[in-house]
Amino acid sequence: MELFGSYTSPYVRHCRIALLETKTKFSFTETDFETSAKLSPAKKVPFLHHNDLRLHDSTSILKYIRDKADERFFADAKDFDQYCLVNTAMDSAINLFLLEKEGVTPDSVKYLKRQQQRVEDILQLMEEKEHAGAYEGPHPFSDGEVRLGCFLSWGLFRERFNLDKYPRLQAFVDKLNDYPYFADTDPTRS
């Protein structure tokens, strides 16, 4: 099993955590924009090759990893909804990050202001939720919680936001940072 991606991608990090949690043997191939554009029709990371199987999105990769380990992918509909909301915020935040590198900012494009507001509204909603890390499964955190942690950690790492207004989210990230698989995949350690 070969996972392609970057050490800084929150999507790739979640896949790496799932592979470590399930003790799945895999190799990791660091991939840049140019390589991912050639090797994946989605032109993004992560993507996974396992024998003849090719998967091109982190969600399908995570489902495959969990299924192979006979684990449940989501605890319930609430956990799946959180995962989906976090994906929405993460997609928006990453697009804003990449567009700003090209000189395009929310100040100059109305649609990007909406994207920025989407990120802020989802952060606020996540702040209002309880994130106990008391998942009743084989691991201490659900996939919805791991996804949230990967997003928050990426946002802090890329200085896209801070958590001063979100003390519960900051406490949640601090708790996740004590989880060995989360700590071991921290992009600042790669």
Side-chain angles (χ1 to χ4, degrees), residues 17 19 30 36 49 51 63 79 123 128 131 143 178 183-184:
I17 290 168
L19 287 161
E30 193 164 11
S36 65
H49 294 173
N51 300 323
K63 175 145 179 47
D79 190 50
L123 283 171
E128 295 164 9
H131 304 288
D143 279 298
D178 289 334
D184 291 347

Short mmCIF file of all heavy atoms in Angstrom, two decimals, residues 17 19 30 36 49 51 63 79 123 128 131 143 178 183-184:
data_model
loop_
_atom_site.label_atom_id
_atom_site.label_comp_id
_atom_site.label_asym_id
_atom_site.label_seq_id
_atom_site.Cartn_x
_atom_site.Cartn_y
_atom_site.Cartn_z
N ILE A 17 -2.67 9.02 10.03
CA ILE A 17 -3.09 8.66 11.38
C ILE A 17 -3.90 7.36 11.33
O ILE A 17 -3.66 6.45 12.14
CB ILE A 17 -3.90 9.80 12.03
CG1 ILE A 17 -2.97 10.99 12.33
CG2 ILE A 17 -4.61 9.32 13.29
CD1 ILE A 17 -3.70 12.28 12.70
N LEU A 19 -3.82 4.99 9.11
CA LEU A 19 -2.92 3.87 8.79
C LEU A 19 -2.12 3.45 10.02
O LEU A 19 -1.95 2.25 10.27
CB LEU A 19 -1.99 4.25 7.64
CG LEU A 19 -2.65 4.31 6.26
CD1 LEU A 19 -1.80 5.12 5.29
CD2 LEU A 19 -2.89 2.90 5.73
N GLU A 30 6.30 11.32 -0.73
CA GLU A 30 6.03 12.76 -0.72
C GLU A 30 5.83 13.23 -2.16
O GLU A 30 6.59 12.87 -3.06
CB GLU A 30 7.17 13.54 -0.05
CG GLU A 30 6.77 14.96 0.24
CD GLU A 30 7.70 15.64 1.23
OE1 GLU A 30 8.77 15.10 1.55
OE2 GLU A 30 7.33 16.75 1.65
N SER A 36 1.35 15.30 -8.36
CA SER A 36 -0.04 14.91 -8.13
C SER A 36 -0.89 15.21 -9.36
O SER A 36 -1.83 14.47 -9.65
CB SER A 36 -0.61 15.61 -6.89
OG SER A 36 -0.69 17.00 -7.07
N HIS A 49 -2.34 3.97 -3.81
CA HIS A 49 -2.22 2.82 -4.70
C HIS A 49 -2.05 1.58 -3.83
O HIS A 49 -1.18 1.54 -2.96
CB HIS A 49 -1.01 2.95 -5.63
CG HIS A 49 -1.11 4.07 -6.60
ND1 HIS A 49 -0.06 4.42 -7.41
CD2 HIS A 49 -2.11 4.93 -6.91
CE1 HIS A 49 -0.41 5.44 -8.19
NE2 HIS A 49 -1.65 5.76 -7.88
N ASN A 51 -2.03 -2.45 -4.84
CA ASN A 51 -2.13 -3.42 -5.93
C ASN A 51 -2.77 -2.71 -7.13
O ASN A 51 -2.24 -1.72 -7.57
CB ASN A 51 -2.89 -4.67 -5.47
CG ASN A 51 -2.21 -5.36 -4.31
OD1 ASN A 51 -0.98 -5.41 -4.24
ND2 ASN A 51 -2.99 -5.87 -3.38
N LYS A 63 -12.10 5.32 4.32
CA LYS A 63 -13.09 4.23 4.36
C LYS A 63 -12.41 2.90 4.06
O LYS A 63 -12.64 1.90 4.74
CB LYS A 63 -14.22 4.48 3.38
CG LYS A 63 -15.18 3.30 3.31
CD LYS A 63 -16.58 3.71 3.10
CE LYS A 63 -17.55 2.55 3.01
NZ LYS A 63 -17.46 1.51 3.98
N ASP A 79 -21.19 12.50 13.94
CA ASP A 79 -19.75 12.47 13.68
C ASP A 79 -19.48 12.68 12.18
O ASP A 79 -18.57 13.43 11.81
CB ASP A 79 -19.15 11.15 14.16
CG ASP A 79 -17.64 11.14 14.16
OD1 ASP A 79 -17.03 12.09 14.70
OD2 ASP A 79 -17.05 10.19 13.62
N LEU A 123 -15.89 27.32 12.41
CA LEU A 123 -15.07 27.34 13.62
C LEU A 123 -15.94 27.68 14.84
O LEU A 123 -15.82 27.04 15.89
CB LEU A 123 -13.92 28.34 13.49
CG LEU A 123 -12.74 27.90 12.65
CD1 LEU A 123 -11.77 29.07 12.43
CD2 LEU A 123 -12.01 26.73 13.29
N GLU A 128 -18.75 25.59 19.85
CA GLU A 128 -19.94 25.38 20.67
C GLU A 128 -20.20 23.91 20.97
O GLU A 128 -20.97 23.59 21.88
CB GLU A 128 -21.16 26.00 19.98
CG GLU A 128 -21.05 27.51 19.87
CD GLU A 128 -22.03 28.13 18.88
OE1 GLU A 128 -22.92 27.42 18.37
OE2 GLU A 128 -21.88 29.34 18.61
N HIS A 131 -16.13 18.36 22.51
CA HIS A 131 -15.15 17.47 21.87
C HIS A 131 -14.37 16.78 22.97
O HIS A 131 -13.28 17.19 23.33
CB HIS A 131 -14.22 18.26 20.94
CG HIS A 131 -14.94 19.04 19.90
ND1 HIS A 131 -15.55 18.45 18.83
CD2 HIS A 131 -15.18 20.36 19.80
CE1 HIS A 131 -16.12 19.37 18.09
NE2 HIS A 131 -15.91 20.54 18.66
N ASP A 143 -13.26 9.59 13.70
CA ASP A 143 -12.74 10.21 12.47
C ASP A 143 -13.20 11.67 12.34
O ASP A 143 -12.47 12.50 11.82
CB ASP A 143 -13.12 9.38 11.25
CG ASP A 143 -12.17 8.22 11.07
OD1 ASP A 143 -10.96 8.46 10.87
OD2 ASP A 143 -12.62 7.06 11.15
N ASP A 178 -1.50 15.29 22.63
CA ASP A 178 -0.99 14.26 23.54
C ASP A 178 -1.21 12.85 22.99
O ASP A 178 -0.72 11.88 23.57
CB ASP A 178 -1.66 14.38 24.91
CG ASP A 178 -1.20 15.61 25.68
OD1 ASP A 178 -0.08 16.09 25.43
OD2 ASP A 178 -1.98 16.08 26.53
N ALA A 183 0.52 13.37 17.38
CA ALA A 183 1.80 14.06 17.61
C ALA A 183 2.86 13.62 16.60
O ALA A 183 3.62 14.43 16.07
CB ALA A 183 2.28 13.80 19.03
N ASP A 184 2.90 12.32 16.29
CA ASP A 184 3.90 11.79 15.37
C ASP A 184 3.73 12.27 13.93
O ASP A 184 4.67 12.18 13.14
CB ASP A 184 3.89 10.25 15.38
CG ASP A 184 4.40 9.67 16.69
OD1 ASP A 184 4.98 10.42 17.51
OD2 ASP A 184 4.18 8.47 16.90
#
